[in-house]
Amino acid sequence: MSLNQEKHQSPHHVVIVGGGFAGLEAAKQLGKAPVKVTLVDKRNFHLFQPLLYQVATGSLSPGDIASPLRGVVAEQKNTHVIMGEVVDVDPEQKKLILRDQELDYDTLVIATGVSHNYFGNDWSEKAPGLKTVEDALEMRRRIFASFEAAEKESDSEKRKALLTFAIVGAGPTGVELAGALAELAHTKLKEEYRSINTTEAQIHLIQSGERILPSFKPALSEKARIELEKLGVTVMTKTRVTNIENDVVTVRSGETTKDIPAHTILWGAGVKASAVSEAISNRTGAELDRAGRVFVNEDLT
Ligand SMILES: Cc1cc2nc3c(=O)[nH]c(=O)nc-3n(C[C@H](O)[C@H](O)[C@H](O)COP(=O)(O)OP(=O)(O)OC[C@H]3O[C@@H](n4cnc5c(N)ncnc54)[C@H](O)[C@@H]3O)c2cc1C
């Protein structure tokens, strides 16, 4: 049999990039189809992102929210998993370019999700975001290190800054983080420290827009604000972060600018498309929106 004949007879090859909710669901839907499926992800596990905030605040462990991709699709005999990072796509040649190998495809599904958006500011070290297990563990480290440092600090101003947490962005991530942090400080840790009173911890939720959870109905935003305030969160709307420096977050509301000394600053303010979108755009001329997402047709092509 010639190579061409062999190629002709091999099943249609669907390559899916990304084992998040979108890519994994696509793979599952194709589990019984007469195609060969290759699922590519730079991680070999599916991450249940909605519970990352609980890892960040210490109520869950990373293993509770991560499932090995190979295990998830083990029953699907037509599905292969490759751990690798996609760096480019060549649609002319129908080739997917990974950091260390290339893959031929017949149909390509891109489901690489989003990453943090700092809107051009260099704040990623000062205010980590929450998208990966590593992000959640870094947040957890910073949060608990702050309580520990506060316990040893004798200077009252410094102690106050150590017990001040600023969360930038009041979408679902920021709201969940603020609520979980408030519960941690005001309830769970209450009896555990001797020198500090963890209930004095201040949690600021900073939102540039008019209301928190702007993607929800106004009545739900209002309800969430009331609940957060009951938990002890200071909700600041129409307030924009203008700088983050040396444990101080500078905010502007109308004409007023103020500095909030906060040792722990967490970012939940925006997302941008993964780098793969840019590669697609470069190769195909596909239009991107301001967050770098590829405009798609109704059928997602
Ligand atoms: C903290 C948090 C809380 C959330 N809470 C909720 C909620 O309560 N309800 C809700 O509906 N949604 C929630 N979401 C949003 C939801 O998690 C996302 O909408 C969803 O995960 C998006 O799925 P996805 O498959 O598009 O991308 P992702 O889940 O991000 O998956 C993308 C996958 O692509 C892989 N990948 C990326 N780039 C590459 C590359 N170059 N090469 C190979 N692999 C790559 C990644 O490793 C990842 O596995 C939350 C998100 C976060 C971060």
Side-chain angles (χ1 to χ4, degrees), residues 18 20-22 41-42 49-50 84-86 111-113 130-131 173 176 276:
F21 289 125
D41 200 300
K42 57 186 173 183
Q49 288 181 9
E85 187 180 2
V86 172
T112 45
L130 188 60
K131 285 275 173 272
T173 301
E176 281 170 342
V276 178

Side-chain angles (χ1 to χ4, degrees), residues 216-229:
F216 291 79
K217 289 184 179 156
L220 292 176
S221 299
E222 184 56 11
K223 192 158 187 226
R225 184 187 63 78
I226 292 167
E227 290 302 319
L228 283 172
E229 286 178 351

Side-chain angles (χ1 to χ4, degrees), residues 213-261:
L213 296 176
S215 58
F216 291 79
K217 289 184 179 156
L220 292 176
S221 299
E222 184 56 11
K223 192 158 187 226
R225 184 187 63 78
I226 292 167
E227 290 302 319
L228 283 172
E229 286 178 351
K230 270 193 222 158
L231 284 170
V233 176
T234 306
V235 179
M236 306 162 81
T237 50
K238 294 191 225 161
T239 304
R240 187 171 288 281
V241 170
T242 56
N243 198 25
I244 300 178
E245 202 83 57
N246 303 329
D247 291 358
V248 174
V249 52
T250 306
V251 296
R252 190 168 61 227
S253 178
E255 296 303 307
T256 313
T257 299
K258 78 171 172 183
D259 287 341
I260 305 173

